[in-house]
Amino acid sequence: MPQPKNAMEIFQLLDKSNCRECGEKTCLAFAGAVFKGKRQLKECPRLDPEIIERFSGEPEDQNAAEQNRDAYLEKLKNEIANLDLAQAAKRVEGQFSDDKLTLKVLGKNFSVNTKGNLSTDIHINPWVAIPFLTYILYGKGVPVSGNWVSFRELKDGKERYPLFQKRCEEPLKRVADNYTDLFDDMVHVLSGKQVEEQFESDISVVLHPLPKVPVMVCYWLPEEGLESSINVFFDQTADKNLDIGSVFTLGVGLTQMFEKIAQRHGFPESAFSQ
Ligand code: SF4
């Protein structure tokens, strides 16, 4: 288990939003308190459970993680109730009518009303709901640049979520290797768009989990003794339109959704495990 050498090392793990949900005035104050042993990392609800596990040595407590996540979702909904949704709609490329702000999430309507209540044509999963609300609350509305970068190139991606490849790209590759309709589903079920192959890949598909946060999945087929591979790219503005924790949540959530779709088509769970 790695031990942080100083408070700054702990601070680097935090999302630096100074949201105060831990009861401290700033993330730096929280980091200092953790370093002195007065607080525990797991008391920051915005921290990924894997980071907590890695640094505290405690296995992830699924119930506690879910409770934290639900409490955080409620907090975001309360914040939405204090936001001018009509104004926010212009910033986040949404539509405001009948007291609701609606965004296209993977081609489907996803709405929140002025009281913070969510409604959608699809199932409300926390992996969509939390990024959806943080995008509306904190997204800067920066235009998409068209420049694709890896997760680790986004601000704080590498430091705070070093397991992105393990949690998103590796399992997604296993799905693509086994379930050949994966990319068809991305296009036809999730309103993705097959684009000209990027980075010399064999297949490139762009998805829009949020209007200004496109995701590009590139797949390289196996050849001449080389294994297949997959990379997930984000627009270089993704860390301005969404906090890095939510970008991570989207990537992992998408992967888990594809695993479930493939299982429904008859592939056993063991086909995707290492
Ligand atoms: S809850 Fe986490 S992100 Fe919020 S101020 Fe505390 S340490 Fe920072």
Side-chain angles (χ1 to χ4, degrees), residues 9 12 18 40 50 74 81 86 90 107 115 132 138 158-159 167-168 178 210 215 227 233 248 258 267 274:
E9 250 186 52
Q12 292 306 331
N18 299 328
Q40 292 186 295
E50 289 217 20
E74 280 313 303
K90 294 179 197 151
K115 292 189 174 126
F132 170 81
Y138 307 117
K158 188 169 132 207
E159 295 78 13
R167 298 271 312 273
C168 174
N178 287 283
L210 290 165
V215 175
E227 264 196 45
F233 295 94
F248 177 82
F258 287 125
F267 289 91
Q274 281 177 304

Side-chain angles (χ1 to χ4, degrees), residues 14-15 17-22 24 26-27 30 44-46:
L14 304 172
D15 85 351
S17 62
N18 299 328
C19 73
R20 297 187 171 198
E21 213 180 320
C22 58
E24 302 288 344
T26 61
C27 294
F30 179 78
C44 169
R46 294 190 169 202

